[in-house]
Amino acid sequence: MPDLGSMTRFAPMAAIAALALACLIAALAWTGWMLLPFVAFASLTALGIHDLRQPSHSILRNYPVLGHMRFLFEGIRPEIRQYLIESDQDEEPFSRDARSLVYQRAKGMEDKRPFGTRMRVYDAGYSWVTHSVQPVHIADTDFRITIGGDKCAKPYSASIYNISAMSFGALSANAIQALNTGARMGGFAHDTGEGGISKYHRDGGGDLIYEVGSGYFGCRNEDGTFNADNFTEQAARDQVKLIEVKLSQGAKPGHGGMLPASKISPEIAEARGVPMGQDCVSPASHSAFGTPLEMMAFLGRLRDLSGGKPVGFKLCIGHRREFMCMVKAMLETGIIPDFIVVDGTEGGTGAAPLEFANHVGMPMIEGLTFVHNTLRGAGIRHQVKLGAAGKIVSAFDIARALAMGADWCNSARGFMFSIGCIQAQACHTNHCPVGVATQDPIRARALDVGSKSQRVERFHRNTLKALGEMAGAAGLSDPSGFLPRHLMLRRSDSEMVTGDQIYPYLPEGFLLAKTSKVGEDFRSRWARADATSFAPRD
């Protein structure tokens, strides 16, 4: 016999059915206006009957009608947490403090804060920049570096803070045009992402980093392989300043991607060079090369095809030995990339499987210091400029990356915040509430290109101004002077260490010196690395 107490879960549905019957009787006996609540309660009764009969959701079979509240609250859980529960320092993935800083700088508002820091300065993990008793005033904060080695015919004077890779298709047309227009206004670069150069990049008129991914979008044959003629046409554009071969990205290193046919518009098809009505596949690896030596030859070929523009590659560090294979191939071929961008696993504009987002790839700081020291060990660090990407939105974030060995920084989500992203984390659903990460034209219309492009420029300018103030406080005349020793890190509530104790710069050429005693971990991997293959030696 059923437990009467357990049957109370059906009481809400029974009450709704009773109200529907009562409204019907009142409508017949009293006034026709009662048909309105009758329709509402009758509809809920029908919904309850459907819940009892459907096989997919157990919670609805046991709690008809009422069970839908669970799905409602689950659907708005991120918003409830963001607006009502999370603290200003909860990083999921960006704290409210970090987001507010971007918004304020993008809008040109006051970004100061009263009453002292909210950081827990005695907790392990807290870090800070050491300052000087003789600070320096830096008037010009348009900090730049030159990218392009001695074999590069068209070196590029780049800002040390640029927009990281985000494809048209992942972002809306208005978002792409606002970002690129802001880059033109501020004199910095915008990475196209692997989705190719769209009309919205061209309309913006800003400097472009043309990213060549494994799908070779914009420079591909019908079978998805690399097409040299198409590449030459793309790279010849005056807007294109750098050529970047994407090996992997922080969001999902070692994982390909697929844009379903249903999401491919004529504009996306034109930018990517793919047909309408077919899924657009981005393989996990490149077909143009399979060994380190072949990879260097491909980079050299791209440099020639582009007319001598700077060529480099981007990766999230995985097997460290494989990167050393690339460096050995550089030494053997003499083909040295003009730049390398190190993406951290904390990067994440692209939607990714949870396991990849959480547990695949090396964080930026460790990846950056490894690449920096490997190039130093091989004696070629001075020939390669290093970029860094991974949750870099503040002046301190940039200063830390420069101290760890970077020459410049890229930011994706920081610039997304500047054009109105509210961290709704609906990027993969096509339902972005502010029109940034969507192909829905009605949602995208909410993003006004004119006003948002100004915010992009202001965010960049004000962030570099803050970086100049921070560098000056450290006694430096330029942020490029930041070194690990300018950082302090707390290991515990009673111990602090300098940055060069944890992230030291290893000696130039130590990997090539037979008698070197430093960097034993580096040297053991170097001995196993082979320029002819990415596979490990027996």
Side-chain angles (χ1 to χ4, degrees), residues 147 243-245 247 295-296 299 311-317 323 326-327 330 336-343 367-368 371-372 375 380-381 383-389 405-408 410:
I147 303 175
I243 312 296
E244 177 185 271
V245 175
L247 302 182
M295 178 183 165
M296 294 309 123
L299 293 178
V311 172
F313 61 91
K314 178 181 82 172
L315 81 169
C316 177
I317 295 295
F323 179 75
M326 300 176 203
V327 176
M330 296 174 200
I336 311 295
D338 298 294
F339 67 91
I340 298 171
V341 176
V342 180
D343 201 4
L368 175 62
V371 169
H372 173 66
L375 294 174
I380 58 174
R381 176 62 183 89
Q383 300 181 57
V384 183
K385 290 295 190 291
L386 280 186
D407 294 297
W408 90 91
N410 294 334

Side-chain angles (χ1 to χ4, degrees), residues 203-484:
D203 290 347
D207 292 347
L208 293 176
I209 302 169
Y210 177 34
E211 183 175 278
V212 179
S214 55
Y216 306 111
F217 299 125
C219 58
R220 57 187 267 137
N221 295 307
E222 289 185 3
D223 62 356
T225 55
F226 177 73
N227 183 297
D229 292 336
N230 289 346
F231 172 80
T232 301
E233 181 181 350
Q234 298 281 12
R237 300 179 188 275
D238 289 338
Q239 267 186 282
V240 174
K241 304 300 183 183
L242 303 175
I243 312 296
E244 177 185 271
V245 175
K246 191 198 84 168
L247 302 182
S248 58
Q249 66 186 85
K252 46 183 177 181
H255 191 282
M258 191 268 288
L259 187 66
S262 61
K263 292 187 177 181
I264 299 177
S265 67
E267 292 171 322
I268 293 174
E270 184 268 335
R272 299 193 177 206
V274 298
M276 293 286 293
Q278 296 182 20
D279 293 340
C280 179
V281 177
S282 183
S285 61
H286 281 261
S287 59
F289 54 87
T291 69
L293 292 176
E294 291 173 355
M295 178 183 165
M296 294 309 123
F298 183 64
L299 293 178
R301 186 185 180 197
L302 295 186
R303 186 186 284 145
D304 293 338
L305 291 172
S306 68
K309 292 183 178 180
V311 172
F313 61 91
K314 178 181 82 172
L315 81 169
C316 177
I317 295 295
H319 295 319
R320 287 169 285 180
R321 173 193 49 78
E322 290 182 347
F323 179 75
M324 289 183 164
C325 292
M326 300 176 203
V327 176
K328 281 194 170 182
M330 296 174 200
L331 297 177
E332 187 167 326
T333 62
I335 301 173
I336 311 295
D338 298 294
F339 67 91
I340 298 171
V341 176
V342 180
D343 201 4
T345 191
E346 64 268 47
T349 55
L354 185 64
E355 296 88 351
F356 276 76
N358 287 346
H359 301 294
V360 180
M362 187 176 290
M364 184 199 70
I365 293 297
E366 285 74 16
L368 175 62
T369 54
F370 169 76
V371 169
H372 173 66
N373 279 320
T374 298
L375 294 174
R376 284 176 64 86
I380 58 174
R381 176 62 183 89
H382 63 288
Q383 300 181 57
V384 183
K385 290 295 190 291
L386 280 186
K391 295 186 74 172
I392 299 177
V393 300
S394 73
F396 175 74
D397 297 334
I398 299 174
R400 181 179 59 180
L402 297 179
M404 297 295 102
D407 294 297
W408 90 91
C409 297
N410 294 334
S411 175
R413 287 170 291 181
F415 283 99
M416 285 177 68
F417 291 142
S418 75
I419 57 173
C421 170
I422 61 171
Q423 195 169 276
Q425 301 181 61
C427 309
H428 60 301
T429 66
N430 209 33
H431 295 154
C432 174
V434 291
V436 175
T438 181
Q439 293 304 305
D440 181 337
I442 297 177
R443 290 178 180 271
R445 182 179 175 275
L447 195 158
D448 181 75
V449 173
S451 64
K452 300 303 185 184
S453 60
Q454 294 177 20
R455 292 189 183 189
V456 170
E457 186 277 331
R458 275 196 298 264
F459 168 61
H460 176 268
R461 172 165 40 89
N462 289 331
T463 300
L464 289 191
K465 180 181 177 183
L467 177 64
E469 292 173 346
M470 182 168 280
L476 303 173
S477 58
D478 190 279
S480 61
F482 276 115
L483 294 169

Side-chain angles (χ1 to χ4, degrees), residues 171-183:
L171 297 194
S172 69
N174 284 12
I176 291 293
Q177 190 168 350
L179 289 170
N180 196 259
T181 303

Side-chain angles (χ1 to χ4, degrees), residues 74-210:
E74 187 178 61
I76 62 173
R77 179 180 179 274
E79 287 79 8
I80 291 175
R81 176 174 180 83
Q82 180 176 355
Y83 293 115
L84 300 177
I85 299 175
E86 74 173 5
S87 76
D88 288 343
Q89 282 78 44
D90 285 345
E91 295 188 5
E92 294 193 356
F94 282 84
S95 69
R96 183 179 295 275
D97 273 352
R99 300 195 307 270
S100 296
L101 181 67
V102 176
Y103 299 148
Q104 289 162 346
R105 287 181 173 163
K107 295 175 183 178
M109 297 170 58
E110 179 68 60
D111 61 358
K112 307 299 188 292
R113 169 163 287 170
F115 225 67
T117 181
R118 299 180 189 177
M119 304 288 288
R120 297 181 178 273
V121 299
Y122 292 101
D123 285 1
Y126 177 72
S127 56
W128 65 97
V129 168
T130 58
H131 65 278
S132 171
V133 296
Q134 292 185 311
V136 175
H137 174 67
I138 302 176
D140 183 5
T141 57
D142 182 25
F143 304 118
R144 296 192 167 270
I145 60 162
T146 299
I147 303 175
D150 56 5
K151 295 183 180 180
C152 175
K154 300 177 180 178
Y156 176 54
S157 177
S159 170
I160 65 169
Y161 194 45
N162 301 288
I163 303 172
S164 197
M166 294 177 284
S167 299
F168 172 53
L171 297 194
S172 69
N174 284 12
I176 291 293
Q177 190 168 350
L179 289 170
N180 196 259
T181 303
R184 173 180 56 79
M185 294 165 63
F188 54 100
H190 178 194
D191 193 314
T192 65
E194 65 177 314
I197 303 172
S198 71
K199 69 184 294 291
Y200 302 103
H201 292 98
R202 298 192 294 270
D203 290 347
D207 292 347
L208 293 176
I209 302 169
Y210 177 34

